Amino acid sequence: MMAGLLMVFLGGLLEVCSGVSANRGGYPSFTDEIPFKITWPGSEFTLSTSGALYKEDDFVIMTTTEQEKYKCLLPSLATGDEDDDKEYSGPTPGELLEPLFKRSSCSYRIESYWTYEVCHGKHIRQYHEEKETGQKISVQEYFLGNMAQKSQSAEVPSKNIEGQLTPYFSMEMGNGTPCVLKQNEARSTSVLYVCHPEAKHEILSVAEVTTCEYEVVVLTPLLCSHPKYRFKSSPVNGIFCQALSGSPQRPQRLAQWDKEQEEQLKPPFSATVEEEAPPVREEAFTSTHKPMTVGGQTQVTVGTTHISRLTDDQLIKEFLSGSYCLHGGVGWWKYEFCYGKHVHQYHEEKEQGKNIVVVGSWNAKEHTDWAKKNVARSYQLKDDGVQKVKLVSHFYGHGDVCDLTGKPRQVIVKLKCKESESPHAVTVYMLEPQTCQYILGVESPVICRILDTADEHGLLSISS
């Protein structure tokens, strides 16, 4: 549980706090950079001897508005700076990144609508290209920043990136395209460079933190030789609250709130949601691929790969049989989609091998039942009056059980034709509109040839 949620919970549920141990000097410092989670163990609970340290006199007595009492054990927080005190006389982070700036290197992030171009130290561009039959390519573009303005101070900041407390080196890019919403003030971007030993300067994320002010996170191996820019361990710190004086194991109001939240959750991908606006459902979710705004749908990751250049017929046949799987994603998590088989989320480590999470598994009957209540295929009308299939959607259920909901993960896979200069490019991106309920977008020129073979349930076949 992040600090903000923790403090809201404590403020609403708990009335009196006392018994803070003297050696802690008051409450611990809760920030968004350090994740916490409150658990409510029973009386037989014993602390683990590994992980965070707990001291007998390091606790808080909490009393709810219903006079329920709990003794909450607080973890001793390590600073994570053990390696930072070692002497370092090597190049500065700016000097380590100099090869990127000198060779005019650019990184790209391709999303459903926008493409982001980061030419390191020079500019950041957001653009969308459209090509109509017989016409020139039209480009819609915005510069989010031009020329590096300044670098950070000697202080090494860090932030929580994909669950890791991560140090970064920032470069400020100003003088972007004027922003109408801010009296034509120039757009600007902070580029955060993060150490990743196996990265190739990929763009991990793009976010619009405030109106026309952006944050771009770039993964690079160049910083990894500097000890202060290596990953710091950032586990979730457990706060264990044990019931006192005959109080229930969990506060009554918390248990009631959990029950109300569960009842409010709509059935996953219900007919009601899909049937409200069948043809524009796809457009509604692609709009989230404009620079991401705080509070919008969570976009997990995105990436573009190139599948091997088999002959198109052979490739399509193997793709539809599920023997040829598509991969995408950058950063920590990557994705594997095997048509008619499964959707996997995975992370590879040299020592521990591949860590796989099953997001969804194929069951033809379940998909058919879903397709009868939802839009399995949508159409677009071409200029010549011909109606073409624009998008097909498939339901994959029975994924791994989600810790947060206690229910299996589920995913809707949306297959879409996307013209490209590279006939074998594949773009894969994932959204999480509800907890552990996902949308996987798969776009490629390869899909263009078989979309029109979709039957009423959106199932594809080899075109004759």
Side-chain angles (χ1 to χ4, degrees), residues 2-229:
M2 302 305 285
L5 294 177
L6 177 64
M7 300 311 289
V8 168
F9 166 74
L10 294 178
L13 178 65
L14 303 171
E15 185 179 57
V16 180
C17 294
S18 59
V20 180
S21 62
N23 67 343
R24 182 171 277 268
Y27 298 111
S29 174
F30 293 113
T31 76
D32 284 342
E33 305 304 329
I34 303 176
F36 291 88
K37 180 180 181 180
I38 294 181
T39 56
W40 311 85
S43 57
E44 304 300 322
F45 167 73
T46 56
L47 285 168
S48 171
T49 56
S50 62
L53 296 176
Y54 295 83
K55 300 176 183 177
E56 290 184 5
D57 59 347
D58 213 353
F59 65 88
V60 175
I61 299 297
M62 297 184 176
T63 305
T64 70
T65 53
E66 282 75 28
Q67 300 305 306
E68 302 158 317
K69 291 184 179 294
Y70 298 89
K71 178 182 178 181
C72 296
L73 300 174
L74 306 176
S76 299
L77 303 180
T79 63
D81 296 334
E82 292 80 4
D83 294 335
D84 292 353
D85 295 332
K86 297 179 180 179
E87 291 187 6
Y88 172 76
S89 57
T92 65
E95 292 170 341
L96 291 172
L97 292 172
E98 196 65 30
L100 268 183
F101 306 137
K102 281 187 174 179
R103 63 175 180 243
S104 301
S105 176
C106 298
S107 300
Y108 294 86
R109 178 183 174 92
I110 302 173
E111 298 190 356
S112 180
Y113 187 83
W114 293 108
T115 297
Y116 295 93
E117 175 185 77
V118 176
C119 291
H120 302 281
K122 292 181 171 55
H123 71 252
I124 302 170
R125 185 168 68 112
Q126 166 192 339
Y127 65 93
H128 172 70
E129 294 181 339
E130 286 190 357
K131 183 177 182 181
E132 300 295 338
T133 305
Q135 298 180 9
K136 294 182 179 180
I137 296 177
S138 63
V139 180
Q140 178 186 3
E141 67 176 4
Y142 300 95
F143 282 87
L144 308 186
N146 286 288
M147 300 303 294
Q149 300 291 302
K150 58 181 179 180
S151 61
Q152 66 184 47
S153 64
E155 189 79 16
V156 180
S158 60
K159 67 177 298 178
N160 197 313
I161 299 176
E162 294 194 344
Q164 292 281 344
L165 188 59
T166 308
Y168 62 85
F169 179 80
S170 68
M171 301 291 288
E172 303 300 321
M173 309 283 283
N175 302 318
T177 303
C179 177
V180 176
L181 298 177
K182 294 183 72 174
Q183 292 76 47
N184 285 329
E185 181 180 329
R187 286 171 165 82
S188 63
T189 299
S190 296
V191 184
L192 311 186
Y193 289 94
V194 170
C195 155
H196 193 297
E198 299 177 3
K200 297 180 181 178
H201 320 300
E202 295 98 335
I203 301 172
L204 175 65
S205 63
V206 179
E208 186 175 11
V209 291
T210 61
T211 303
C212 294
E213 294 182 15
Y214 307 88
E215 181 182 272
V216 175
V217 177
V218 176
L219 304 175
T220 176
L222 298 179
L223 283 177
C224 296
S225 60
H226 197 304
K228 290 191 176 183
Y229 291 89

Side-chain angles (χ1 to χ4, degrees), residues 228-264:
K228 290 191 176 183
Y229 291 89
R230 294 173 187 151
F231 280 115
K232 293 182 175 66
S233 178
S234 180
V236 175
N237 293 274
I239 297 177
F240 299 97
C241 294
Q242 292 180 285
L244 299 175
S245 306
S247 300
Q249 182 173 327
R250 289 167 61 88
Q252 292 180 5
R253 284 182 59 192
L254 178 60
Q256 181 182 354
W257 183 79
D258 287 342
K259 186 177 180 180
E260 291 173 353
Q261 289 296 108
E262 185 175 352
E263 290 176 353
Q264 288 174 9

Side-chain angles (χ1 to χ4, degrees), residues 256-439:
Q256 181 182 354
W257 183 79
D258 287 342
K259 186 177 180 180
E260 291 173 353
Q261 289 296 108
E262 185 175 352
E263 290 176 353
Q264 288 174 9
L265 286 176
K266 296 179 179 179
F269 313 117
S270 65
T272 306
V273 175
E274 291 285 347
E275 289 173 357
E276 284 177 358
V280 298
R281 177 68 176 166
E282 165 69 4
E283 296 304 323
F285 101 81
T286 56
S287 66
T288 64
H289 294 285
K290 296 176 182 179
M292 292 179 287
T293 55
V294 176
Q297 287 183 338
T298 301
Q299 180 170 334
V300 181
T301 191
V302 63
T304 296
T305 58
H306 287 77
I307 54 184
S308 62
R309 296 176 180 274
L310 303 172
T311 63
D312 285 348
D313 289 342
Q314 179 187 353
L315 184 148
I316 291 171
K317 183 177 180 180
E318 293 187 5
F319 168 69
L320 292 177
S321 70
S323 61
Y324 196 102
C325 301
L326 305 181
H327 296 80
V330 296
W332 184 266
W333 289 113
K334 294 181 174 60
Y335 301 93
E336 176 183 82
F337 168 59
C338 300
Y339 180 89
K341 289 191 174 181
H342 63 248
V343 176
H344 285 175
Q345 171 179 278
Y346 65 93
H347 169 68
E348 292 183 290
E349 293 187 11
K350 291 182 179 179
E351 297 82 8
Q352 301 176 357
K354 185 181 287 189
N355 177 20
I356 297 176
V357 176
V358 179
V359 180
S361 300
W362 177 256
N363 180 288
K365 183 180 184 305
E366 286 187 352
H367 166 75
T368 301
D369 292 342
W370 175 88
K372 290 176 181 177
K373 302 175 183 177
N374 298 273
V375 179
R377 61 181 175 183
S378 60
Y379 295 90
Q380 60 180 337
L381 194 63
K382 295 289 187 178
D383 292 338
D384 57 5
V386 177
Q387 184 171 265
K388 305 283 286 184
V389 176
K390 174 185 178 182
L391 170 81
V392 296
S393 300
H394 297 156
F395 175 78
Y396 288 69
H398 298 288
D400 287 342
V401 173
C402 174
D403 292 338
L404 298 177
T405 65
K407 299 177 181 179
R409 290 171 167 83
Q410 298 176 336
V411 61
I412 290 178
V413 177
K414 292 181 177 287
L415 300 174
K416 186 177 181 181
C417 165
K418 184 175 184 180
E419 300 290 354
S420 170
E421 292 182 1
S422 173
H424 296 84
V426 178
T427 299
V428 177
Y429 51 86
M430 182 173 277
L431 302 173
E432 189 176 2
Q434 295 184 49
T435 303
C436 293
Q437 297 177 11
Y438 307 91
I439 294 174

